[in-house]
Amino acid sequence: MDIRVSGHQVDTGAALQTHASERLTAIIAKYFNRALSSHVTFGRAPAGAFRCDIIMHVMQNLVLKGTGVAHDAHIALDQASEKIDKQLRRYKRRLKDRHEQTAFVAAAEEAAYTIFEEPPVDHEEEVEMDAPVVIAETRVDVPEATVSDAVMMLDLRNTTALLFKNAGTGRHNMVYRRGDGSIGWVEPH
């Protein structure tokens, strides 16, 4: 596995690079034969702490992200790698459960929508805000997946929303993490 360690205004010495390499290699060896690549980035966080961001390309279309913040760079690395380990463990468990419970996944795909009532809005307290400026644009591939696979990718990519092409209907759908931690699913009519 190709492991790159870099720092933003932080010196990544040989000990930190060795620790990162050993930690990530051990995690991958636990779940897969090999991974494609990993990029570990260290930087400064507020209050003199260190921030560690890990982006790991395990296989094609499987990208994991983990972040840790601590007053020691080694501890920040351990926190971020623990999140990667947890994501891989969940991924492997879901793959195993999928093979064992195919009927359950099919039933979950046909789940009904729940519509929640919005609380009344006091129009006197509304404050008009300007729209935020778009500062970056990126192009991504839209994966074709079932809804349950899309939720799994949402967790693995550690993002708040995922646009995908529904394998069952052939239409573009979106899953997102709501503020209360539950998952929302948008399917156009």
Side-chain angles (χ1 to χ4, degrees), residues 10-97:
V10 173
D11 182 30
T12 59
L16 188 57
Q17 291 181 9
T18 303
H19 181 66
S21 178
E22 289 173 354
R23 181 85 165 135
L24 295 179
T25 303
I27 290 172
I28 287 298
K30 201 173 0 174
Y31 299 105
F32 291 98
N33 293 336
R34 66 180 191 87
L36 298 176
S37 67
S38 294
H39 190 120
V40 181
T41 306
F42 291 94
R44 290 285 181 186
F50 291 94
R51 178 183 173 99
C52 176
D53 295 307
I54 301 174
I55 299 174
M56 181 181 289
H57 297 271
V58 179
M59 61 181 69
Q60 188 173 355
N61 296 328
L62 180 58
V63 178
L64 305 176
K65 297 177 183 177
T67 301
V69 176
H71 287 287
D72 182 57
H74 292 270
I75 295 172
L77 171 70
D78 289 340
Q79 289 175 354
S81 60
E82 194 60 38
K83 291 177 183 176
I84 296 287
D85 189 348
K86 184 177 181 180
Q87 292 170 0
L88 278 173
R89 185 173 55 247
R90 286 180 176 174
Y91 176 72
K92 290 297 274 193
R93 185 175 353 122
R94 285 180 180 164
L95 286 179
K96 181 181 175 190
D97 290 347

Side-chain angles (χ1 to χ4, degrees), residues 29-172:
K30 201 173 0 174
Y31 299 105
F32 291 98
N33 293 336
R34 66 180 191 87
L36 298 176
S37 67
S38 294
H39 190 120
V40 181
T41 306
F42 291 94
R44 290 285 181 186
F50 291 94
R51 178 183 173 99
C52 176
D53 295 307
I54 301 174
I55 299 174
M56 181 181 289
H57 297 271
V58 179
M59 61 181 69
Q60 188 173 355
N61 296 328
L62 180 58
V63 178
L64 305 176
K65 297 177 183 177
T67 301
V69 176
H71 287 287
D72 182 57
H74 292 270
I75 295 172
L77 171 70
D78 289 340
Q79 289 175 354
S81 60
E82 194 60 38
K83 291 177 183 176
I84 296 287
D85 189 348
K86 184 177 181 180
Q87 292 170 0
L88 278 173
R89 185 173 55 247
R90 286 180 176 174
Y91 176 72
K92 290 297 274 193
R93 185 175 353 122
R94 285 180 180 164
L95 286 179
K96 181 181 175 190
D97 290 347
R98 174 192 282 159
H99 293 296
E100 293 174 357
Q101 301 175 351
T102 306
F104 177 75
V105 172
E109 294 257 343
E110 299 174 11
Y113 290 103
T114 304
I115 299 173
F116 297 93
E117 184 178 325
E118 287 187 8
V121 178
D122 186 6
H123 294 287
E124 295 176 4
E125 294 181 353
E126 283 188 31
V127 178
E128 192 172 318
M129 296 176 55
D130 292 334
V133 177
V134 176
I135 59 169
E137 180 178 309
T138 184
R139 297 184 186 273
V140 295
D141 293 327
V142 177
E144 183 169 343
T146 62
V147 176
S148 59
D149 286 346
V151 172
M152 180 173 55
M153 283 189 265
L154 179 76
D155 289 339
L156 291 174
R157 293 179 180 183
N158 198 20
T159 61
T160 56
L162 176 73
L163 177 69
F164 67 101
K165 186 174 180 182
N166 192 326
T169 63
R171 300 179 71 171
H172 286 88

